[in-house]
Amino acid sequence: MSSESWTQRYSAALMNTFGPPKLILERGEGCRVWDVDGRSYVDFLGGIAVNTLGHGHPALVDAVTTQLGTLGHISNFFASTPQIELAERLLALAAPDTDGRVFLCNSGAEANEAALKMTRRTGRTHVVAMEDAFHGRTMGSLALTSKQAYRTPFEPLPGDVTWVPYGDVDALAAAVTDQTAAVVIEPLQGEAGVNVAAGDFLAAARAITTDHGALLWLDEIQSGMGRTGRWLASHAAGVTPDIVTLAKGLAGGIPIGACIGFGDAGRLFEPGNHGTTFGGNPVAAAAALAVIDTIEKDGLLEHAVAVGERLRSGLVADARVTEIRGSGVLVGLTLAGVDAPAVVAAAQDAGWIINATGPDRVRFAPPLVVGLDDVDAFLAAWPSILDAAQGSAA
Ligand SMILES: *Cc1c(COP(=O)(O)O)cnc(C)c1O
Protein backbone atom coordinates (compact mmCIF):
# COMPACT_ATOMS: atom_id res chain seq x y z
CA MET A 1 0.00 0.00 0.00
CA SER A 2 1.34 3.43 -1.02
CA SER A 3 2.07 6.51 1.06
CA GLU A 4 -0.93 8.16 -0.51
CA SER A 5 -3.43 5.59 0.73
CA TRP A 6 -1.80 5.42 4.18
CA THR A 7 -2.08 9.21 4.39
CA GLN A 8 -5.80 8.99 3.61
CA ARG A 9 -6.24 6.33 6.30
CA TYR A 10 -4.24 8.47 8.73
CA SER A 11 -6.55 11.44 8.16
CA ALA A 12 -9.65 9.29 8.57
CA ALA A 13 -8.45 7.67 11.81
CA LEU A 14 -6.29 10.17 13.70
CA MET A 15 -7.20 13.51 15.19
CA ASN A 16 -5.90 16.37 13.14
CA THR A 17 -3.44 17.74 15.68
CA PHE A 18 -0.37 17.76 13.45
CA GLY A 19 -1.72 18.36 9.94
CA PRO A 20 -0.99 15.80 7.23
CA PRO A 21 2.15 13.68 7.83
CA LYS A 22 5.11 14.53 5.60
CA LEU A 23 5.99 10.85 5.19
CA ILE A 24 4.71 7.46 6.27
CA LEU A 25 7.82 5.78 7.64
CA GLU A 26 8.29 2.07 7.93
CA ARG A 27 11.73 1.30 9.32
CA GLY A 28 15.01 2.86 10.34
CA GLU A 29 18.63 1.89 10.76
CA GLY A 30 21.35 4.18 12.05
CA CYS A 31 20.64 7.66 10.71
CA ARG A 32 18.53 6.40 7.82
CA VAL A 33 14.76 5.80 7.60
CA TRP A 34 12.65 4.24 4.86
CA ASP A 35 9.09 5.17 3.89
CA VAL A 36 6.36 2.76 2.81
CA ASP A 37 7.19 3.49 -0.84
CA GLY A 38 10.73 2.20 -0.23
CA ARG A 39 12.45 5.61 -0.46
CA SER A 40 15.16 6.29 2.07
CA TYR A 41 16.05 9.49 3.89
CA VAL A 42 18.93 10.53 6.11
CA ASP A 43 17.39 11.70 9.35
CA PHE A 44 18.86 15.03 10.48
CA LEU A 45 15.96 15.69 12.84
CA GLY A 46 16.18 12.49 14.91
CA GLY A 47 12.54 12.49 16.00
CA ILE A 48 13.06 16.08 17.20
CA ALA A 49 16.21 15.55 19.22
CA VAL A 50 15.00 12.18 20.52
CA ASN A 51 16.82 9.44 18.60
CA THR A 52 20.13 9.94 20.40
CA LEU A 53 21.51 6.65 19.09
CA GLY A 54 19.76 6.81 15.73
CA HIS A 55 17.35 4.06 14.70
CA GLY A 56 17.54 0.44 15.78
CA HIS A 57 20.78 0.80 17.76
CA PRO A 58 21.72 -2.68 19.02
CA ALA A 59 22.44 -1.46 22.57
CA LEU A 60 18.96 0.06 22.83
CA VAL A 61 17.21 -2.86 21.17
CA ASP A 62 19.02 -5.28 23.46
CA ALA A 63 18.34 -3.30 26.66
CA VAL A 64 14.63 -2.92 25.90
CA THR A 65 14.18 -6.51 24.75
CA THR A 66 16.04 -7.98 27.70
CA GLN A 67 14.26 -5.80 30.24
CA LEU A 68 10.83 -6.50 28.72
CA GLY A 69 11.57 -10.21 28.94
CA THR A 70 12.68 -9.83 32.55
CA LEU A 71 10.23 -7.35 34.08
CA GLY A 72 8.17 -5.01 31.91
CA HIS A 73 5.96 -3.02 34.21
CA ILE A 74 5.18 -2.89 37.90
CA SER A 75 3.50 0.01 39.66
CA ASN A 76 4.84 2.69 41.94
CA PHE A 77 3.80 0.61 44.94
CA PHE A 78 7.01 -1.18 44.01
CA ALA A 79 10.40 -0.20 42.68
CA SER A 80 12.70 -1.80 40.13
CA THR A 81 16.48 -1.84 39.96
CA PRO A 82 16.75 -0.03 36.56
CA GLN A 83 14.67 2.83 37.95
CA ILE A 84 16.95 3.24 40.97
CA GLU A 85 20.10 2.92 38.86
CA LEU A 86 18.80 5.50 36.37
CA ALA A 87 18.03 8.03 39.11
CA GLU A 88 21.55 7.58 40.51
CA ARG A 89 23.12 7.96 37.07
CA LEU A 90 21.12 11.10 36.30
CA LEU A 91 22.15 12.71 39.57
CA ALA A 92 25.78 11.80 38.98
CA LEU A 93 25.88 13.25 35.50
CA ALA A 94 23.71 16.33 36.18
CA ALA A 95 25.45 17.60 39.33
CA PRO A 96 27.81 15.06 40.90
CA ASP A 97 28.62 17.16 43.98
CA THR A 98 25.05 18.16 44.81
CA ASP A 99 22.45 16.23 46.74
CA GLY A 100 19.39 15.62 44.56
CA ARG A 101 16.25 13.55 43.97
CA VAL A 102 14.63 12.40 40.73
CA PHE A 103 10.98 12.02 39.70
CA LEU A 104 10.54 9.83 36.62
CA CYS A 105 7.64 10.27 34.22
CA ASN A 106 6.87 9.74 30.55
CA SER A 107 7.33 12.93 28.53
CA GLY A 108 8.68 16.44 28.57
CA ALA A 109 5.39 18.08 29.35
CA GLU A 110 4.97 15.75 32.31
CA ALA A 111 8.44 16.53 33.61
CA ASN A 112 7.58 20.24 33.45
CA GLU A 113 4.16 19.60 35.00
CA ALA A 114 5.90 17.91 37.94
CA ALA A 115 8.33 20.81 38.23
CA LEU A 116 5.52 23.37 38.16
CA LYS A 117 3.70 21.51 40.92
CA MET A 118 6.95 21.43 42.89
CA THR A 119 7.23 25.20 42.62
CA ARG A 120 3.74 25.52 44.17
CA ARG A 121 5.00 23.58 47.18
CA THR A 122 7.21 26.57 48.04
CA GLY A 123 4.05 28.46 49.03
CA ARG A 124 4.57 30.92 46.18
CA THR A 125 2.82 30.88 42.80
CA HIS A 126 4.57 33.48 40.60
CA VAL A 127 6.75 32.06 37.83
CA VAL A 128 8.96 34.03 35.44
CA ALA A 129 9.36 32.44 32.02
CA MET A 130 11.04 33.51 28.79
CA GLU A 131 9.54 34.95 25.63
CA ASP A 132 9.59 32.39 22.79
CA ALA A 133 9.80 29.60 25.36
CA PHE A 134 8.33 26.18 24.68
CA HIS A 135 7.61 23.95 27.65
CA GLY A 136 4.90 21.57 26.41
CA ARG A 137 1.18 21.21 25.82
CA THR A 138 -0.39 20.13 29.12
CA MET A 139 -2.31 22.93 30.83
CA GLY A 140 0.53 23.57 33.30
CA SER A 141 3.40 23.42 30.83
CA LEU A 142 1.34 25.43 28.33
CA ALA A 143 0.87 28.08 31.00
CA LEU A 144 4.64 28.69 30.76
CA THR A 145 4.81 28.50 26.94
CA SER A 146 4.67 31.98 25.45
CA LYS A 147 3.30 31.32 21.95
CA GLN A 148 -0.16 32.91 21.76
CA ALA A 149 -1.38 30.56 19.02
CA TYR A 150 -0.81 27.59 21.36
CA ARG A 151 -2.27 29.33 24.43
CA THR A 152 -5.29 31.35 23.37
CA PRO A 153 -7.68 28.47 22.53
CA PHE A 154 -7.14 27.01 26.02
CA GLU A 155 -7.27 30.02 28.29
CA PRO A 156 -7.69 30.43 31.17
CA LEU A 157 -4.47 28.58 31.96
CA PRO A 158 -2.94 28.27 35.43
CA GLY A 159 -1.78 31.85 35.87
CA ASP A 160 0.68 34.09 37.62
CA VAL A 161 3.34 33.91 34.90
CA THR A 162 5.49 36.84 33.74
CA TRP A 163 7.52 36.62 30.51
CA VAL A 164 10.76 38.45 29.93
CA PRO A 165 12.86 38.66 26.75
CA TYR A 166 15.19 35.66 26.52
CA GLY A 167 18.69 36.67 27.61
CA ASP A 168 17.71 40.05 29.06
CA VAL A 169 19.33 40.19 32.51
CA ASP A 170 17.82 43.58 33.45
CA ALA A 171 14.31 42.48 32.54
CA LEU A 172 14.79 39.30 34.53
CA ALA A 173 16.08 41.18 37.55
CA ALA A 174 13.07 43.52 37.36
CA ALA A 175 10.54 40.67 37.06
CA VAL A 176 11.73 38.47 39.94
CA THR A 177 10.46 39.45 43.40
CA ASP A 178 10.36 37.88 46.84
CA GLN A 179 7.00 36.40 45.78
CA THR A 180 8.51 34.57 42.83
CA ALA A 181 8.47 30.78 43.14
CA ALA A 182 10.70 30.03 40.16
CA VAL A 183 12.37 31.22 36.99
CA VAL A 184 12.18 28.73 34.12
CA ILE A 185 14.70 28.90 31.26
CA GLU A 186 15.71 26.69 28.34
CA PRO A 187 19.52 26.97 27.99
CA LEU A 188 18.84 26.68 24.24
CA GLN A 189 15.33 27.45 22.97
CA GLY A 190 14.94 24.55 20.56
CA GLU A 191 11.38 25.06 19.34
CA ALA A 192 12.06 28.76 18.75
CA GLY A 193 14.78 27.76 16.28
CA VAL A 194 17.72 27.19 18.63
CA ASN A 195 18.20 30.49 20.43
CA VAL A 196 21.20 30.30 22.72
CA ALA A 197 21.32 31.97 26.14
CA ALA A 198 24.70 33.49 26.84
CA GLY A 199 26.50 31.78 29.71
CA ASP A 200 26.31 34.95 31.77
CA PHE A 201 22.51 34.96 31.41
CA LEU A 202 22.25 31.62 33.20
CA ALA A 203 24.76 32.77 35.81
CA ALA A 204 22.80 36.01 36.31
CA ALA A 205 19.56 34.01 36.60
CA ARG A 206 21.23 31.87 39.27
CA ALA A 207 22.25 34.97 41.25
CA ILE A 208 18.86 36.71 40.88
CA THR A 209 16.84 33.66 41.93
CA THR A 210 19.12 33.02 44.89
CA ASP A 211 18.73 36.65 46.02
CA HIS A 212 14.95 36.33 46.07
CA GLY A 213 14.70 32.80 47.42
CA ALA A 214 13.23 31.64 44.11
CA LEU A 215 14.01 28.37 42.35
CA LEU A 216 16.06 28.29 39.16
CA TRP A 217 14.49 25.70 36.87
CA LEU A 218 16.22 24.76 33.65
CA ASP A 219 14.19 23.01 30.97
CA GLU A 220 16.81 20.80 29.31
CA ILE A 221 14.24 18.55 27.69
CA GLN A 222 15.68 19.28 24.25
CA SER A 223 19.16 20.60 25.10
CA GLY A 224 20.13 17.94 27.63
CA MET A 225 21.46 14.38 27.46
CA GLY A 226 24.53 15.09 25.39
CA ARG A 227 22.95 16.93 22.51
CA THR A 228 25.20 19.97 22.90
CA GLY A 229 28.28 17.89 23.59
CA ARG A 230 27.76 18.06 27.36
CA TRP A 231 25.38 16.05 29.50
CA LEU A 232 23.48 19.27 30.18
CA ALA A 233 23.77 22.39 28.04
CA SER A 234 23.89 24.43 31.25
CA HIS A 235 27.14 22.73 32.24
CA ALA A 236 28.85 25.07 29.77
CA ALA A 237 27.79 27.98 32.00
CA GLY A 238 28.84 26.22 35.20
CA VAL A 239 25.43 26.84 36.74
CA THR A 240 23.71 24.42 39.10
CA PRO A 241 19.96 24.98 39.06
CA ASP A 242 17.40 23.87 41.65
CA ILE A 243 15.36 21.94 39.09
CA VAL A 244 16.27 20.33 35.77
CA THR A 245 13.71 18.74 33.48
CA LEU A 246 14.74 16.14 30.90
CA ALA A 247 12.93 14.00 28.33
CA LYS A 248 13.38 13.83 24.54
CA GLY A 249 16.79 12.17 24.03
CA LEU A 250 16.96 10.56 27.47
CA ALA A 251 15.85 7.07 26.42
CA GLY A 252 16.61 7.39 22.71
CA GLY A 253 12.98 7.13 21.61
CA ILE A 254 11.32 5.17 24.41
CA PRO A 255 8.92 7.56 26.16
CA ILE A 256 10.39 8.96 29.37
CA GLY A 257 10.73 12.19 31.31
CA ALA A 258 12.65 13.17 34.42
CA CYS A 259 12.36 16.02 36.85
CA ILE A 260 15.42 16.46 39.05
CA GLY A 261 15.35 18.56 42.19
CA PHE A 262 18.62 19.57 43.83
CA GLY A 263 19.04 20.38 47.52
CA ASP A 264 15.75 21.35 49.20
CA ALA A 265 13.97 21.32 45.83
CA GLY A 266 14.46 17.56 45.74
CA ARG A 267 12.35 17.26 48.88
CA LEU A 268 9.41 19.52 47.95
CA PHE A 269 7.12 16.60 47.10
CA GLU A 270 5.73 14.42 49.84
CA PRO A 271 3.79 11.18 49.45
CA GLY A 272 0.43 11.95 47.83
CA ASN A 273 1.59 15.14 46.08
CA HIS A 274 2.28 13.65 42.69
CA GLY A 275 2.43 10.41 40.74
CA THR A 276 2.09 8.60 37.42
CA THR A 277 1.34 4.98 36.58
CA PHE A 278 4.07 4.51 33.97
CA GLY A 279 6.76 6.75 35.50
CA GLY A 280 9.95 4.86 36.29
CA ASN A 281 8.81 1.98 34.09
CA PRO A 282 11.67 -0.59 34.05
CA VAL A 283 11.77 -0.79 30.24
CA ALA A 284 12.07 2.99 29.82
CA ALA A 285 14.66 3.12 32.61
CA ALA A 286 16.70 0.32 31.02
CA ALA A 287 16.52 2.16 27.69
CA ALA A 288 17.82 5.36 29.28
CA LEU A 289 20.65 3.46 30.98
CA ALA A 290 21.63 1.96 27.61
CA VAL A 291 21.64 5.43 26.04
CA ILE A 292 23.84 6.83 28.81
CA ASP A 293 26.21 3.84 28.67
CA THR A 294 26.54 4.11 24.89
CA ILE A 295 27.18 7.86 24.98
CA GLU A 296 30.00 7.21 27.46
CA LYS A 297 31.41 4.10 25.82
CA ASP A 298 31.42 5.51 22.28
CA GLY A 299 32.60 9.03 23.17
CA LEU A 300 29.45 10.56 21.72
CA LEU A 301 29.78 13.85 23.60
CA GLU A 302 33.06 14.62 21.83
CA HIS A 303 31.61 13.31 18.59
CA ALA A 304 28.57 15.62 18.89
CA VAL A 305 30.91 18.59 19.24
CA ALA A 306 33.00 17.60 16.21
CA VAL A 307 30.13 16.86 13.82
CA GLY A 308 28.19 19.88 15.06
CA GLU A 309 31.10 22.20 14.30
CA ARG A 310 31.52 20.69 10.85
CA LEU A 311 27.79 21.03 10.16
CA ARG A 312 27.56 24.64 11.33
CA SER A 313 30.65 25.84 9.50
CA GLY A 314 29.51 24.14 6.30
CA LEU A 315 25.93 25.43 6.48
CA VAL A 316 26.94 29.04 7.03
CA ALA A 317 29.35 28.94 4.07
CA ASP A 318 26.33 29.59 1.85
CA ALA A 319 25.60 33.33 1.78
CA ARG A 320 21.85 32.68 1.99
CA VAL A 321 22.42 31.59 5.62
CA THR A 322 22.54 34.82 7.61
CA GLU A 323 22.88 33.38 11.11
CA ILE A 324 23.94 30.04 12.57
CA ARG A 325 23.21 29.06 16.17
CA GLY A 326 23.52 26.21 18.61
CA SER A 327 26.09 23.82 19.93
CA GLY A 328 26.83 20.17 19.36
CA VAL A 329 24.11 18.59 17.26
CA LEU A 330 21.40 21.11 18.09
CA VAL A 331 21.72 23.59 15.26
CA GLY A 332 19.50 26.42 14.05
CA LEU A 333 19.94 28.85 11.20
CA THR A 334 18.24 31.86 9.66
CA LEU A 335 17.80 32.26 5.91
CA ALA A 336 17.53 35.37 3.78
CA GLY A 337 15.57 35.22 0.54
CA VAL A 338 14.65 31.56 0.94
CA ASP A 339 11.50 30.17 2.55
CA ALA A 340 12.39 27.70 5.32
CA PRO A 341 9.41 25.34 4.78
CA ALA A 342 10.34 25.25 1.07
CA VAL A 343 13.90 24.30 2.08
CA VAL A 344 12.56 21.46 4.23
CA ALA A 345 10.45 20.22 1.29
CA ALA A 346 13.41 20.47 -1.11
CA ALA A 347 15.63 18.61 1.37
CA GLN A 348 13.04 15.85 1.67
CA ASP A 349 12.85 15.55 -2.13
CA ALA A 350 16.62 15.16 -2.07
CA GLY A 351 16.46 12.49 0.67
CA TRP A 352 17.12 14.46 3.85
CA ILE A 353 14.87 15.08 6.86
CA ILE A 354 15.28 18.51 8.46
CA ASN A 355 12.80 20.89 10.10
CA ALA A 356 11.58 24.49 9.87
CA THR A 357 10.82 26.26 13.15
CA GLY A 358 9.58 29.44 11.44
CA PRO A 359 9.26 31.08 8.02
CA ASP A 360 13.01 31.76 7.83
CA ARG A 361 14.38 29.31 10.41
CA VAL A 362 15.66 25.77 9.95
CA ARG A 363 16.62 23.33 12.71
CA PHE A 364 18.89 20.27 12.66
CA ALA A 365 18.90 17.75 15.50
CA PRO A 366 20.50 14.62 14.07
CA PRO A 367 21.26 11.57 16.21
CA LEU A 368 24.47 11.88 18.24
CA VAL A 369 25.80 8.97 16.21
CA VAL A 370 25.49 10.88 12.91
CA GLY A 371 28.56 10.23 10.75
CA LEU A 372 30.90 12.87 9.37
CA ASP A 373 30.26 11.28 5.97
CA ASP A 374 26.53 11.98 6.30
CA VAL A 375 27.29 15.56 7.32
CA ASP A 376 29.64 16.04 4.38
CA ALA A 377 27.11 14.55 1.97
CA PHE A 378 24.44 16.91 3.28
CA LEU A 379 26.74 19.91 3.00
CA ALA A 380 27.54 18.95 -0.61
CA ALA A 381 23.79 18.92 -1.33
CA TRP A 382 22.99 22.09 0.68
CA PRO A 383 23.45 24.74 -2.06
CA SER A 384 21.32 22.77 -4.51
CA ILE A 385 18.63 22.26 -1.83
CA LEU A 386 18.53 26.05 -1.34
CA ASP A 387 18.43 26.54 -5.14
CA ALA A 388 15.54 24.10 -5.44
CA ALA A 389 13.66 25.89 -2.63
CA GLN A 390 14.17 29.25 -4.35
CA GLY A 391 13.12 27.76 -7.68
CA SER A 392 9.94 26.30 -6.19
CA ALA A 393 8.93 29.74 -4.91
CA ALA A 394 9.57 31.44 -8.26
C1 LIG B 1 9.71 19.01 23.47
C2 LIG B 1 9.85 19.94 24.61
C3 LIG B 1 8.94 19.90 25.69
C4 LIG B 1 7.74 19.01 25.69
O1 LIG B 1 8.06 17.67 25.66
P1 LIG B 1 6.94 16.58 25.24
O2 LIG B 1 7.63 15.27 25.44
O3 LIG B 1 6.60 16.87 23.81
O4 LIG B 1 5.79 16.77 26.12
C5 LIG B 1 9.18 20.75 26.74
N1 LIG B 1 10.24 21.58 26.76
C6 LIG B 1 11.12 21.64 25.75
C7 LIG B 1 12.29 22.55 25.84
C8 LIG B 1 10.95 20.83 24.64
O5 LIG B 1 11.81 20.90 23.61
Side-chain angles (χ1 to χ4, degrees):
M1 188 167 299
S2 70
S3 283
E4 205 179 325
S5 26
W6 278 113
T7 302
Q8 278 166 11
R9 287 172 63 178
Y10 176 97
S11 305
L14 284 117
M15 288 191 196
N16 187 20
T17 46
F18 303 104
K22 292 180 187 300
L23 294 168
I24 309 286
L25 296 171
E26 194 167 57
R27 68 188 175 92
E29 194 183 315
C31 288
R32 198 166 280 272
V33 289
W34 283 261
D35 71 8
V36 289
D37 299 328
R39 269 204 83 190
S40 82
Y41 304 83
V42 183
D43 184 3
F44 271 32
L45 184 59
I48 317 182
V50 167
N51 296 97
T52 309
L53 305 182
H55 300 272
H57 193 288
L60 188 56
V61 173
D62 185 52
V64 167
T65 315
T66 304
Q67 185 58 48
L68 190 57
T70 307
L71 182 67
H73 175 80
I74 48 176
S75 69
N76 284 303
F77 293 121
F78 312 103
S80 70
T81 56
Q83 166 192 25
I84 298 164
E85 280 173 10
L86 176 59
E88 289 170 352
R89 290 292 285 283
L90 288 177
L91 292 171
L93 58 85
D97 304 321
T98 310
D99 163 58
R101 299 286 187 277
V102 179
F103 176 79
L104 292 170
C105 52
N106 316 291
S107 68
E110 280 177 71
N112 283 341
E113 199 71 32
L116 185 60
K117 283 181 71 177
M118 276 163 59
T119 71
R120 291 284 171 104
R121 297 283 304 152
T122 63
R124 304 181 185 181
T125 57
H126 180 232
V127 177
V128 178
M130 301 298 122
E131 288 175 8
D132 298 321
F134 181 82
H135 297 296
R137 307 296 203 125
T138 60
M139 294 299 265
S141 59
L142 187 57
L144 307 166
T145 295
S146 72
K147 198 167 177 172
Q148 273 308 328
Y150 293 170
R151 302 173 52 84
T152 309
F154 303 102
E155 287 174 336
L157 293 162
D160 214 0
V161 181
T162 306
W163 285 276
V164 301
Y166 187 61
D168 186 333
V169 175
D170 294 338
L172 182 63
V176 178
T177 73
D178 289 347
Q179 307 306 313
T180 303
V183 172
V184 55
I185 304 174
E186 296 157 86
L188 289 88
Q189 290 185 322
E191 295 307 296
V194 193
N195 297 329
V196 184
D200 59 356
F201 182 63
L202 294 184
R206 176 68 285 177
I208 292 165
T209 46
T210 302
D211 280 353
H212 291 281
L215 300 168
L216 177 61
W217 160 12
L218 298 181
D219 178 343
E220 295 241 25
I221 287 167
Q222 186 156 164
S223 60
M225 296 317 294
R227 183 139 291 276
T228 66
R230 298 177 191 261
W231 285 114
L232 300 182
S234 53
H235 284 169
V239 167
T240 304
D242 302 291
I243 302 174
V244 172
T245 45
L246 297 169
K248 289 200 166 81
L250 174 53
I254 301 296
I256 194 169
C259 174
I260 310 179
F262 297 107
D264 292 341
R267 292 180 288 270
L268 285 167
F269 277 153
E270 292 166 5
N273 283 163
H274 199 49
T276 160
T277 298
F278 291 116
N281 172 281
V283 176
L289 287 166
V291 168
I292 294 168
D293 283 342
T294 305
I295 291 174
E296 283 179 346
K297 186 167 62 64
D298 293 351
L300 294 179
L301 298 180
E302 298 77 10
H303 181 71
V305 171
V307 285
E309 275 168 11
R310 181 108 138 222
L311 182 59
R312 279 193 303 281
S313 62
L315 289 168
V316 79
D318 192 289
R320 290 166 285 189
V321 176
T322 55
E323 191 186 40
I324 190 95
R325 298 173 298 272
S327 45
V329 284
L330 186 54
V331 176
L333 59 80
T334 303
L335 294 162
V338 203
D339 177 59
V343 170
V344 171
Q348 187 177 301
D349 285 345
W352 304 90
I353 295 176
I354 58 175
N355 164 247
T357 56
D360 61 352
R361 292 185 153 218
V362 175
R363 171 177 51 179
F364 301 78
L368 266 61
V369 294
V370 66
L372 283 170
D373 52 346
D374 281 331
V375 169
D376 289 344
F378 181 81
L379 292 173
W382 180 231
S384 62
I385 289 169
L386 294 177
D387 291 345
Q390 281 179 312
S392 70

